[in-house]
Amino acid sequence: DVQLVESGGGLVQPGGSLRLSCAASGFSFSRYWMSWVRQAPGKGLEWVANIKPDGSETFYVDSLKGRFTISRDNAKNSLYLQMTSLRAEDTAVYYCARGVRIFGVVFFEYWGQGTRVSVSS
Amino acid sequence: DIVLTQSPGTLSLSPGERATLSCRASQSISNNYLVWYQQRPGQAPRLLIYGASSRATGIPDRFSGSGSGADFTLTISRLEAEDFAVYYCQQYGSSPETFGQGTKVEIK
């Protein structure tokens, strides 16, 4: 079975940094696009970033470019999201997802249970 | 960016009834590249439908998707207790990936 387990969330002060991790199992991790999607409290879903199977290309929602970095380690079956200059509006549950990419755009086939990030002083 | 508008915001129905959820796009979606997700309280989203009308693996046949262009529908033929949840549409026809704001299906 496909399993995606996020970790690394927590409480961080505005301006701080946090690194999220996602441990993948049950499939050939290095063959799939991977993504981060977030959900602010009581709100809808927002796509954050995608990364190509070999890690050579990354894509971000415009509003987050320059502050967040998606990366992966295929040897460790792991996906990461480095978040810097965090703001209150980054408070959300962050989901790791396995993507299906069609002509450059992705939908999300499997999701982890999410890790909660709270940005507050 | 393509804006997806879901309606209604909340649907109040009884178990056994039919649910019809709408997702309208601000422009036509290439190749009808639209998916539907279900999110139960406290859980991660789950893929239901891709390509506007194809059921994902393990999804019961009471869930069906239809539509084309800019107008799409998710139908649940007979609501069961576990179907009361929030449903989101998402388009993957053009970058960036965008979601609708969700429709909550609640027990009447």
Side-chain angles (χ1 to χ4, degrees), chain B residues 4-81:
Chain B
L4 299 178
T5 301
Q6 292 186 240
S7 61
T10 302
L11 200 49
S12 298
L13 294 168
S14 300
E17 290 194 294
R18 182 185 188 89
T20 303
L21 288 65
S22 172
C23 176
R24 285 193 171 160
S26 58
Q27 58 190 272
S28 183
I29 296 175
S30 298
N31 300 297
N32 299 325
Y33 284 157
L34 185 112
V35 295
W36 291 92
Y37 302 98
Q38 176 195 65
Q39 187 175 34
R40 295 170 176 151
Q43 294 189 17
R46 174 175 72 143
L47 177 67
L48 297 176
I49 301 286
Y50 63 93
S53 60
S54 297
R55 272 188 299 277
T57 303
I59 301 304
D61 60 7
R62 65 179 181 275
F63 291 92
S64 63
S66 62
S68 63
D71 246 316
F72 298 88
T73 300
L74 175 70
T75 302
I76 311 171
S77 59
R78 292 176 317 279
L79 283 164
E80 298 195 3

